[in-house]
């Protein structure tokens, strides 16, 4: 698996600041029949191993939408449902929670869940706070 150079440093900073980390992911390849949900689990397990190898706490949980757009499910991003379900399950508050992603639907997903959406990309967005790197975002949370 390949990561950006500063990914683990950024995640470590977030954990040091007390944030719990979740993955919220659309995996329409499952619904389209390109690969099995089991393959997604294998990748998530690898992610968790890589976290531990980098001396990080594993991700707290994963929320997966395995549906294709044609399924008209209620969980696929930009729906906020995967996030609100996690917030209910782990008693998280909207304040102090962020949905961070590199696509507009990620930020919209956060907004639809009632939390702050954040974009990681080279160009600024007029609708959401944008940062060039995850580390830049994590650093911005330091008080
Ligand atoms: Zn879904």
């Amino acid at each position: 698996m390949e990561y950006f150079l500063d990914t683990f440093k950024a995640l470590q900073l977030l954990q040091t600041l007390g944030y719990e980390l979740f993955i919220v992911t659309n995996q329409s390849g499952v619904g389209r029949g390109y690969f099995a949900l089991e393959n997604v689990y294998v990748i998530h397990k690898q992610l968790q191993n890589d976290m531990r190898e980098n001396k990080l706490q594993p991700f707290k949980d994963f929320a997966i939408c395995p549906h294709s757009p044609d399924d008209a499910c209620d969980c696929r991003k930009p729906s906020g449902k995967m996030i609100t379900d996690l917030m209910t399950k782990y008693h998280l508050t909207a304040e102090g929670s962020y949905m961070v992603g590199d696509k507009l639907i990620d930020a919209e997903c956060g907004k639809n869940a009632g939390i702050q959406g954040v974009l990681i990309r080279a160009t600024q967005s007029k609708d959401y706070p944008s940062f060039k790197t995850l580390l830049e975002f994590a650093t911005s949370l330091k008080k």
Side-chain angles (χ1 to χ4, degrees):
M1 204 118 57
E2 286 191 57
Y3 299 92
F4 290 107
L5 287 173
D6 66 358
T7 296
F8 292 107
K9 192 177 175 190
L11 295 178
Q12 183 172 52
L13 176 54
L14 290 171
Q15 290 189 340
T16 301
L17 293 171
Y19 289 94
E20 293 184 308
L21 305 177
F22 298 85
I23 300 262
V24 176
T25 180
N26 285 350
Q27 294 294 337
S28 66
V30 176
R32 297 176 212 253
Y34 296 157
F35 48 83
L37 192 53
E38 289 303 318
N39 298 89
V40 178
Y41 294 146
V42 167
I43 289 166
H44 290 177
K45 201 172 169 194
Q46 180 66 53
L47 269 177
Q48 297 293 53
N49 287 339
D50 292 342
M51 292 291 276
R52 291 190 190 90
E53 274 184 18
N54 285 274
K55 310 270 186 281
L56 292 165
Q57 298 293 315
F59 289 96
K60 187 102 173 167
D61 207 347
F62 295 81
I64 306 165
C65 167
H67 308 110
S68 90
D70 299 336
D71 293 333
C73 69
D74 61 358
C75 48
R76 182 174 167 79
K77 292 185 286 186
S79 159
K81 187 172 188 302
M82 289 195 282
I83 291 179
T84 52
D85 285 352
L86 286 171
M87 290 173 72
T88 302
K89 184 175 176 185
Y90 293 98
H91 309 289
L92 305 171
T93 57
E95 193 182 350
S97 295
Y98 299 89
M99 171 61 178
V100 184
D102 63 347
K103 296 194 181 75
L104 195 56
I105 62 159
D106 297 318
E108 287 169 348
C109 168
K111 185 182 180 187
N112 290 334
I115 70 173
Q116 180 67 58
V118 174
L119 286 168
I120 306 300
R121 64 179 202 184
T123 55
Q124 290 294 310
S125 156
K126 64 176 172 24
D127 298 312
Y128 298 96
S130 314
F131 298 86
K132 286 192 180 64
T133 66
L134 187 61
L135 183 58
E136 206 175 284
F137 165 67
T139 305
S140 79
L141 297 172
K142 274 207 269 188
K143 291 279 150 44

